[in-house]
Amino acid sequence: MAEKILDVRCDLKDQEKALTGARVIQEGGVVIFPTETVYGIGADVENNNACKKIYAIKGRQPDNPLIVHVADLDQAENYACTNRVRMFRELAKLWPGPLTIVMPKKDRVGDVPSAGLGTVGIRIPDCDFTREFIKLSATGIAAPSANMSGRPSATRAEHIINELHGVDLIYRGEPSRIGIESTVIYPQDDRCIILRPGAYTADDFSKMFDHVEYAGPQDPVRSPGMKYRHYSPEKELLRAKKEDLLNFVETHRDIIPIVTTETAKEIKGEKWILGSIKNPYEISSSLYDLLRQLDASKYHRGIIECLPETGFFISVMNRIKKASAEL
Ligand code: TXA
Ligand code: MG
């Protein structure tokens, strides 16, 4: 493998290592980096040719815009008209964190990363090392999730190493703490439209906005990316509620159950454990890893347990539904 790999930790601002990546970005290269949600594959947002490499490496459709990752609020101002978002100051208190705010864009965002849209999604990731790398790059980093288009996002560096080719540098950090992608919102006056659910949920925004709604599949204001196939393992994956799942695995031995710690106690044969229902991040941070394990395993198919659709589990179920078919 040609690319360079550097080991990093999210809580350590290792300047020397951060500078290595910053130089790659300034020279128009592509860097993979950890965040608290999933790994990102990034290039200089002001360099269209560098951003084109990301689309080529991922096999991503050119009409799907990239999120711009910045180190701080000053840098956000370079790319978005934040003063046109009434609740911006309040929303910005949720940064660094798993939130992408779609706002009217400024000219410094290239046509390639913005996919020709008049808006830009901005995020400050909650990883000290990555923010240091972005700061030293002295530009915004346009970055989608670091996976081939359609595959589950990468939550561990080893997910990427044999999947993406043509990358200049990989920062190998710890597994992603949250494990599903950021919440993407489109705030409009007193309305907050959730384009993609994530760790921040409607509850977090209903304190700030009169109206909070999830964009539906027919909604004219939706994320271009949501129309594409997503998050899917290559093997067949079914989903079912606990009781139906238990009945099914009783009579079908060829399928691997992917279940909560609590449900696992009721299954005699082999099973894979998502995590405890009492610890939502344990579940979300293992989800994509298990979907990828299914593809690598001897099993031809899997069946995953449906979670109660409240709070953060709404977001986790959003990904599970996209990756699976109902039993
Ligand atoms: O957690 C995350 O958001 C990760 C990490 C790396 O930050 N990034 C990520 O990027 O998930 P990506 O490209 O895989 O998903 C971004 C989603 C896509 O569905 C895209 O269409 C949407 O956000 N998006 C980006 N810019 C947008 C814009 N200006 N308007 C509407 N949707 C936008
Ligand atoms: Mg993605």
Side-chain angles (χ1 to χ4, degrees), residues 37 40 60 64-65 67 69 102 119 123 144-145 181-182 196 223-225:
T37 57
R60 185 178 175 99
N64 194 358
I67 293 173
H69 296 69
V102 174
T119 54
R123 174 162 122 77
S145 51
E181 306 79 359
S182 64
R196 179 177 70 185
S223 256

Side-chain angles (χ1 to χ4, degrees), residues 292-312:
R292 283 168 172 275
Q293 274 184 43
L294 177 62
D295 284 340
S297 75
K298 62 179 189 211
Y299 292 98
H300 296 298
R301 54 189 192 144
I303 183 165
I304 189 163
E305 181 178 352
C306 290
L307 307 164
E309 285 186 70
T310 55
F312 175 49

Side-chain angles (χ1 to χ4, degrees), residues 175-230:
S176 305
R177 184 168 56 81
I178 294 175
I180 65 168
E181 306 79 359
S182 64
T183 305
V184 180
I185 60 165
Y186 191 18
Q188 290 171 327
D189 299 320
D190 59 356
R191 248 175 104 210
C192 178
I193 304 169
I194 301 178
L195 300 179
R196 179 177 70 185
Y200 285 119
T201 65
D203 291 343
D204 296 293
F205 307 113
S206 57
K207 295 170 201 141
M208 302 179 213
F209 293 88
D210 293 340
H211 308 282
V212 179
E213 60 207 74
Y214 288 97
Q218 307 304 331
D219 208 310
V221 280
R222 55 195 286 249
S223 256
M226 296 312 270
K227 66 175 181 272
Y228 297 113
R229 180 176 164 268
H230 262 98

